[in-house]
Amino acid sequence: MVRRFITYLLLGFTIVFLMIPLTPEASSHTDLRLMEEDIAELSNRLDKVETKSILDRVIIGGEFRTRMDYFRYKDTMTIGIKDDANTEDIWSNRLRLNLKVDITDDLVFHGRIACFKLWGESNFDEIANNSNYPSIPDSEGNLHVERAYIDYRIPDLHLSFTCGRLPSSEGPPSGMRENRLRKATWPKAAGDIEMDGLIASIYLDEWTDLENSLIRILYIKVYQNWLEYRGVDAKDSWGPAIVFETQVPNIDNSLMILGHSRIITLRPLEGLPGMTVASIPDKQGGINLTLFHIEFNNINEDGLDWFFTYGYAHFDPSSQGTLFTTGLELGIFGDNLSGNLGESKSGKIAHTGFRYELPIENWKNPKIGFEYNHGSKYWARFLNTGGGELINKLMVNGDAYELYYIQPIDKEKMFLRFGGIYMDFDYENPFIFYGSMTETDMTVTNAYLLLDVLF
């Protein structure tokens, strides 16, 4: 802007100087017309330079996925699905548009909007909310803001702040099976939902001997009861978290994360289809979550990646749950009919796997991978509702296995992935975590083929 002002100022002085009538010929209409054309040309060039300077700070990209799924259900307890059922081929598209703007050297904006839709019309009617919206197909193909946040790094200090719709879904090790770089800060098994909040990041590299080390302090707002929505005087759900992250000492391409978070008050159950609510409590208790994640990429430069995640959740439920006119009262992992309403519960998850890049250059170095995860009876499955897929294996209270193969078509921009997922449930709860867990022999088998294009 300063450069443009100076240019116009010099042009103005030039015009005034040239308009001084030294001779009758110097003030001719022809000369004035030529000068006006020169000024217009210079101004147009300057506009292009400024526009290019602004656009150089903007990075626009995207991801497009076409996917086909097949499902086999056995002894299911899932609402709306028969005890034993097969699906036909299910086709879907997912579009993501990514935006990054380097506003200044220390201030950056990140955004992502997404559309996830089954082909044609569908009767997929799973309830979507702000935490799992990207994983629920939209019948209209609407766009949804998945991420919108700013990063501000304070100059000359080892400190930065982040605020907005945070990058909290598709955390490590998602990059392995998704065949792309890390997309989030929080390990996928211990939290794969959309969250809004604030983060203060303190960089520790110069204060310690640890590379790529930092501490993140978070404030997260999960639910706000604006003006006692539907007459429910429920308390807001929010919580703090602290996360330490570093590269494993003396090991390149490695990552280690240790964190703890707490949700102060969990949102109460506000109702169920076909049942009338008699009363709703103002809170349903809280949850403490501790996690550990470690991963190694390209071990010994042999193309082998490996990871392990462990999460531990402890619930302190309220002794009062949502009461229905039938006399049934449901709380966090408990109900009055079973006599366990208000009892403390603990759950855990373990998630591990590997990926290996095959040394076949003629095939563009395809990759094979395997993952396994186990969720205990009271694992907090509601923490894993994102992902942009029709099924989420990390929500299982039991065991899940996945085997996949990645075939690049274009080395960096286009690839196929096909694989299979088998989920063997020990317990199931159709209401996620309200009411008691029920023993089950339910299994879900998923076979899929997808095509990803990055641009």
Side-chain angles (χ1 to χ4, degrees):
M1 192 62 82
V2 174
R3 181 175 59 188
R4 185 172 186 174
F5 173 76
I6 293 174
T7 302
Y8 282 143
L9 185 64
L10 291 175
L11 288 172
F13 279 123
T14 302
I15 293 170
V16 173
F17 178 76
L18 292 175
M19 289 180 66
I20 297 176
L22 298 178
T23 64
E25 291 79 12
S27 59
S28 67
H29 292 294
T30 301
D31 291 341
L32 286 175
R33 180 177 57 79
L34 292 175
M35 283 187 293
E36 290 174 353
E37 291 176 355
D38 290 341
I39 292 171
E41 182 180 355
L42 288 172
S43 178
N44 184 51
R45 290 180 180 178
L46 188 59
D47 286 339
K48 291 181 179 179
V49 170
E50 285 196 346
T51 300
K52 184 179 185 304
S53 178
I54 294 173
L55 291 178
D56 284 344
R57 293 179 172 270
V58 178
I59 300 175
I60 301 175
E63 310 164 26
F64 179 76
R65 168 177 292 180
T66 292
R67 176 170 180 145
M68 187 275 288
D69 285 91
Y70 166 83
F71 291 95
R72 165 71 176 168
Y73 297 90
K74 182 179 179 182
D75 298 326
T76 182
M77 297 178 63
T78 304
I79 296 176
I81 299 178
K82 297 178 181 180
D83 291 342
D84 296 303
N86 297 325
T87 66
E88 298 180 9
D89 51 314
I90 301 174
W91 292 82
S92 62
N93 288 334
R94 187 185 72 182
L95 170 67
R96 287 173 169 171
L97 299 177
N98 303 307
L99 176 67
K100 178 185 176 184
V101 183
D102 295 318
I103 303 171
T104 68
D105 291 340
D106 301 304
L107 181 61
V108 182
F109 170 80
H110 301 264
R112 185 166 82 185
I113 57 177
C115 165
F116 181 30
K117 185 183 184 303
L118 299 183
W119 285 15
E121 294 184 313
S122 70
N123 58 0
F124 196 93
D125 58 356
E126 186 173 337
I127 297 174
N129 54 56
N130 279 332
S131 66
N132 70 350
Y133 196 103
S135 66
I136 305 301
D138 185 284
S139 60
E140 302 298 328
N142 294 322
L143 290 175
H144 171 71
V145 178
E146 282 193 68
R147 298 178 181 182
Y149 62 96
I150 60 168
D151 284 325
Y152 176 63
R153 185 155 189 166
I154 300 178
D156 303 321
L157 290 179
H158 305 286
L159 179 65
S160 69
F161 291 95
T162 304
C163 67
R165 171 135 286 204
L166 304 175
S168 53
S169 60
E170 296 181 274
S174 296
M176 291 188 186
R177 67 194 291 269
E178 296 294 326
N179 201 35
R180 63 197 68 187
L181 297 175
R182 174 183 175 183
K183 294 293 184 180
T185 58
W186 198 257
K188 182 179 177 69
D192 191 29
I193 60 177
E194 291 190 18
M195 293 188 294
D196 304 287
L198 304 168
I199 303 176
S201 300
I202 305 170
Y203 300 90
L204 307 175
D205 296 55
E206 295 187 14
W207 298 338
T208 68
D209 294 329
L210 301 174
E211 295 187 37
N212 301 319
S213 61
L214 56 87
I215 290 178
R216 290 190 176 94
I217 302 173
L218 298 86
Y219 169 81
I220 301 166
K221 198 77 170 183
V222 181
Y223 169 70
Q224 300 185 79
N225 186 16
W226 173 246
L227 294 178
E228 298 184 8
Y229 179 62
R230 293 179 179 172
V232 179
D233 188 19
K235 297 183 180 298
D236 289 356
S237 296
W238 63 279
I242 183 169
V243 180
F244 170 70
E245 175 181 322
T246 186
Q247 177 178 299
V248 179
N250 303 316
I251 301 179
D252 294 335
N253 302 315
S254 63
L255 173 66
M256 183 172 67
I257 299 175
L258 180 65
H260 181 80
S261 63
R262 175 168 175 79
I263 299 178
I264 302 300
T265 53
L266 290 168
R267 181 177 180 176
L269 179 63
E270 296 180 1
L272 292 174
M275 299 182 66
T276 303
V277 173
S279 65
I280 301 176
D282 61 355
K283 61 180 181 180
Q284 283 283 279
I287 175 177
N288 286 284
L289 175 65
T290 302
L291 67 95
F292 171 76
H293 174 82
I294 190 168
E295 68 178 73
F296 302 96
N297 295 281
N298 198 19
I299 300 173
N300 294 327
E301 298 185 355
D302 287 332
L304 178 64
D305 310 317
W306 175 85
F307 72 89
F308 174 76
T309 306
Y310 177 81
Y312 176 81
H314 181 77
F315 292 86
D316 293 310
S318 300
S319 58
Q320 182 182 2
T322 298
L323 179 64
F324 297 89
T325 55
T326 58
L328 176 64
E329 188 175 2
L330 299 179
I332 302 298
F333 289 132
D335 62 79
N336 60 334
L337 300 181
S338 300
N340 60 349
L341 192 64
E343 291 182 1
S344 295
K345 304 288 193 306
S346 296
K348 54 184 177 293
I349 188 173
H351 183 205
T352 189
F354 71 88
R355 185 185 69 174
Y356 179 64
E357 182 177 276
L358 299 172
I360 309 176
E361 294 186 5
N362 291 338
W363 289 12
K364 298 183 173 63
N365 299 105
K367 301 169 184 176
I368 58 172
F370 174 79
E371 295 187 9
Y372 165 78
N373 60 275
H374 173 80
S376 68
K377 180 178 180 179
Y378 296 113
W379 169 241
R381 55 184 289 188
F382 69 94
L383 295 172
N384 304 107
T385 57
E389 300 181 5
L390 293 178
I391 192 170
N392 193 330
K393 64 184 181 181
L394 295 175
M395 292 184 70
V396 66
N397 296 105
D399 302 288
Y401 310 82
E402 179 177 11
L403 179 66
Y404 62 86
Y405 173 86
I406 298 173
Q407 176 59 59
I409 299 175
D410 181 281
K411 186 67 174 178
E412 303 293 336
K413 300 297 183 181
M414 184 176 182
F415 63 90
L416 289 166
R417 185 175 95 223
F418 62 86
I421 298 174
Y422 179 74
M423 302 169 66
D424 185 6
F425 289 76
D426 296 326
Y427 300 90
E428 171 64 346
N429 187 335
F431 311 125
I432 306 299
F433 67 107
Y434 298 109
S436 298
M437 302 296 289
T438 303
E439 291 188 11
T440 179
D441 294 323
M442 181 173 71
T443 62
V444 179
T445 304
N446 169 224
Y448 65 85
L449 170 66
L450 64 84
L451 172 68
D452 262 349
V453 178
L454 311 180
F455 55 91

